[in-house]
Amino acid sequence: MNLGRITGQVRIVGAGLLGASIGHGLRAKGVDVILHDASRSNATLAIDYGAGRAPQSDDAPTLVIVAVPPDVTAEVVARELAAWPRATVSDVASVKVGVLDELIALGVDLDRYVGSHPLAGRERGGASAARADLFIGRPWVVGRGEPFRRRAVEDVVIELGAVPVAMSASEHDNAVALISHVPQVVASLLANRLAGASEAAVALSGQGLRDTTRIASSAPELWVQILGANSGPVTQILRELQTELGVAIDALEAPDAPGSRRAIAELLAGGNVGVARIPGKHGTSKHFSQLVVMVDDKPGELARLLTEIGEAQVNMEDLRLEHSPGAQFGLAEISVLPEKEALLISELEARGWKIAETLA
Amino acid sequence: MNLGRITGQVRIVGAGLLGASIGHGLRAKGVDVILHDASRSNATLAIDYGAGRAPQSDDAPTLVIVAVPPDVTAEVVARELAAWPRATVSDVASVKVGVLDELIALGVDLDRYVGSHPLAGRERGGASAARADLFIGRPWVVGRGEPFRRRAVEDVVIELGAVPVAMSASEHDNAVALISHVPQVVASLLANRLAGASEAAVALSGQGLRDTTRIASSAPELWVQILGANSGPVTQILRELQTELGVAIDALEAPDAPGSRRAIAELLAGGNVGVARIPGKHGTSKHFSQLVVMVDDKPGELARLLTEIGEAQVNMEDLRLEHSPGAQFGLAEISVLPEKEALLISELEARGWKIAETLA
């Protein structure tokens, strides 16, 4: 029985992380999911995990989702459009312009095609890593197309708990270059500088460096593909970055020359403006007050803290536990609505907690 | 009464965040702290807050800590060395070579001088933001000098709960350029790219971009000073970065040219190596297993999760709560020792928790 808004069959081509996760999510909503993969063993594995069923001779999918590697996506989309003359066909490739250009070059009629891209993933891939909840709360870009074809794709996005975002292929590729692909390159460039550093130097590292370089631990194979497929928008932004880096170096080479300090200040002030635009929790860029509470590094202590925050009827907007190097306790950084800060401080101090600091 | 290892008077010059925090910390250990500031109102404020006492005619400090802005540090150190002919004099300026060069230029006898730098700070400054626990668990670099003079400074570092790290002035400046100053410039350069971005683009942002740009929210005034004072080591590393950025751009401009994909892969692989060197909790760079558990976004839920983790006798090595944009629940990313992962998963699932994913 189908509990949701999707009444027809959904055929998924490609039983990797994304394809199998979509399968799990839709089956959980009672959708009849047909799973196909060029590799019989991939398909069998995903079906064994419950991501869908094997194709049958009488299949009549109303929607086909192509979830194969970017370099073969266009070819498979074209084949599926031909195989199912009435079905809507979509794909989930992480770069969209290249796919569209290939389809046009293949002379395919695009009336029934709507490209898409869920901004969701994991550090591991494959059907065995697939999860029905992979897309919950994540943005999912849905491209241009016939309104009712787009609606068919958006129904899947909504069923899977994701948030549909309408964008053209080039809008999408420029956006992900900026918010995902360039940060990856920059984090890797920065982390590369650490490879030859002394032990003594890296021992001074703090949370700032950890955060700035965290994504540099991503898998090279995957990122070589992504960066190669979106090289145009990525290089354009990297060139802007290169220009500003040159300005910064010139200013720092002669910090006392006229205009140097102003140039450095403008770089830093521009960074303040940019970072303030990034949405935080629930897609807002709202600012919260932060308390840092000292917590003994033993089981149950943090739980006790959070229980008592709950008793104070204060909802944490965010929480982060940082351990000071060498210290036998952690610092719990708690974000709360500004109007709750004073209440929480008094409640916690009354219960004997040590507030290490409060950040504006 | 003095409970600790410091028996003599400690004179602190400069009642800002660092000076006043050192004062609070030492007074908490029963040390007689003399507080002086060129600004009488700064001094009075810090003394009102309990960071120390006003100077008296019969003061005889055995240790003087200069905590004034970098550009006047050397001059004040020289004056204090002359004023107290038997005292050890230290400073806490965040850049060390410039101070040392100035002292040498002033012809000062450096037998009683030992430079230092606590790697601690806050987003707010001033005596009103000072805290006795500011330095707990943080590295505190102590420079070269007479062994018993260095010991006098290390005693303060240890009393304040910090971890002494022995380094020369140039070792220190090169280290902080790498782990703190260059990451600041890079995060600001990246965040600058967001200033002109479309709402739709930034709406796709995820945790990766948030982490990579977080420190770009730092105060420009402070950083203009720091970067200017350490411009040599910073520009050297930025130039290396500029060269590698150029290589990346060349490779991405022709991703299908021979060697391009290899160049990109090497950049990414080098980043993996670099990030693996950054110490995590307790100064180790040990790897932990991570579970992501879905937690309803309401007071008490996370506390219940952590209570049950405690009941399972598993110690969390790290914790991070991430809220999916638009979702009414959080994802708690929990790091545990790899050998504890299987136990914790079964214990949590037995208690009805949903494990969203496990990361390798």
Side-chain angles (χ1 to χ4, degrees), chain B residues 59-98:
Chain B
D59 287 341
T62 54
L63 175 66
V64 179
I65 300 171
V66 174
V68 300
D71 53 339
V72 292
T73 296
E75 165 196 337
V76 175
V77 166
R79 192 190 314 142
E80 294 292 317
L81 282 166
W84 313 101
R86 321 186 63 232
T88 300
V89 177
S90 186
D91 74 301
V92 295
S94 56
V95 177
K96 308 265 46 121
V97 170

Side-chain angles (χ1 to χ4, degrees), chain A residues 4-357:
Chain A
R5 58 180 67 201
I6 300 167
T7 49
Q9 298 173 348
V10 175
R11 171 177 160 93
I12 299 170
V13 181
L17 173 66
L18 291 181
S21 293
I22 295 168
H24 284 291
L26 292 180
R27 288 198 78 206
K29 297 300 184 85
V31 177
D32 180 10
V33 175
I34 306 158
L35 205 56
H36 171 74
D37 193 290
S39 149
R40 182 178 300 269
S41 75
N42 282 0
T44 311
L45 177 68
I47 289 166
D48 287 349
Y49 272 102
R53 65 164 172 89
Q56 293 163 6
S57 55
D58 62 350
D59 287 340
T62 54
L63 175 65
V64 179
I65 300 171
V66 174
V68 299
D71 53 338
V72 292
T73 296
E75 165 196 337
V76 174
V77 166
R79 191 190 314 141
E80 294 292 318
L81 281 166
W84 313 101
R86 322 186 63 232
T88 300
V89 177
S90 186
D91 74 301
V92 296
S94 57
V95 177
K96 308 265 45 119
V97 170
V99 173
L100 202 54
D101 290 349
E102 267 187 81
L103 286 169
I104 291 163
L106 291 166
V108 174
D109 174 352
L110 298 175
D111 288 356
R112 292 182 288 119
Y113 169 72
V114 177
S116 87
H117 176 219
L119 282 103
R122 300 190 50 188
E123 293 177 16
R124 287 189 295 121
S128 61
R131 321 218 46 130
D133 52 37
L134 185 67
F135 309 103
I136 292 175
R138 299 297 305 148
W140 188 321
V141 173
V142 178
R144 302 263 183 270
E146 294 283 341
F148 100 92
R149 302 289 178 186
R150 287 194 17 230
R151 214 167 306 118
V153 176
E154 285 168 359
D155 285 344
V156 167
V157 171
I158 291 161
E159 281 291 36
L160 296 174
V163 181
V165 178
M167 275 191 181
S168 72
S170 59
E171 285 168 345
H172 168 275
D173 287 4
N174 288 321
V176 293
L178 181 69
I179 59 102
S180 168
H181 304 172
V182 164
Q184 180 64 52
V185 172
V186 167
S188 297
L189 284 165
L190 183 58
N192 264 270
R193 300 290 98 239
L194 300 172
S198 71
E199 273 307 318
V202 292
L204 301 185
S205 304
Q207 194 58 37
L209 182 65
R210 274 196 290 275
D211 284 348
T212 318
T213 58
R214 184 181 59 82
I215 57 173
S217 59
S218 305
E221 303 67 25
L222 170 67
W223 277 95
V224 169
Q225 271 188 44
I226 294 173
L227 295 172
N230 200 26
S231 58
V234 170
T235 36
Q236 189 187 327
I237 298 164
L238 287 179
R239 270 206 226 82
E240 296 166 8
L241 205 98
Q242 189 179 36
T243 304
E244 295 219 347
L245 175 57
V247 171
I249 289 173
D250 292 345
L252 283 166
E253 271 178 338
D256 301 319
S260 287
R261 280 185 158 65
R262 180 178 169 173
I264 301 166
E266 281 172 357
L267 166 68
L268 294 158
N272 290 174
V273 173
V275 80
R277 297 197 58 201
I278 302 174
K281 174 186 178 183
H282 303 328
T284 69
S285 59
K286 172 161 187 143
H287 287 302
F288 299 112
S289 301
Q290 284 158 341
L291 310 183
V292 178
V293 184
M294 295 174 63
V295 181
D296 282 352
D297 183 14
K298 61 190 191 194
E301 274 304 283
L302 189 60
R304 186 166 67 82
L305 170 64
L306 300 184
T307 304
E308 297 182 6
I309 291 171
E311 286 166 4
Q313 289 302 310
V314 175
N315 191 19
M316 281 187 305
E317 300 301 325
D318 226 326
L319 168 69
R320 185 157 183 178
L321 186 66
E322 188 189 331
H323 285 279
S324 313
Q328 286 314 306
F329 62 89
L331 298 173
E333 184 181 301
I334 296 162
S335 304
V336 296
L337 292 171
E339 57 269 30
K340 293 285 193 180
E341 180 180 5
L343 165 69
L344 186 55
I345 291 176
S346 61
E347 289 279 347
L348 290 180
E349 287 181 339
R351 290 167 161 87
W353 291 99
K354 196 123 194 286
I355 312 293
E357 50 183 274

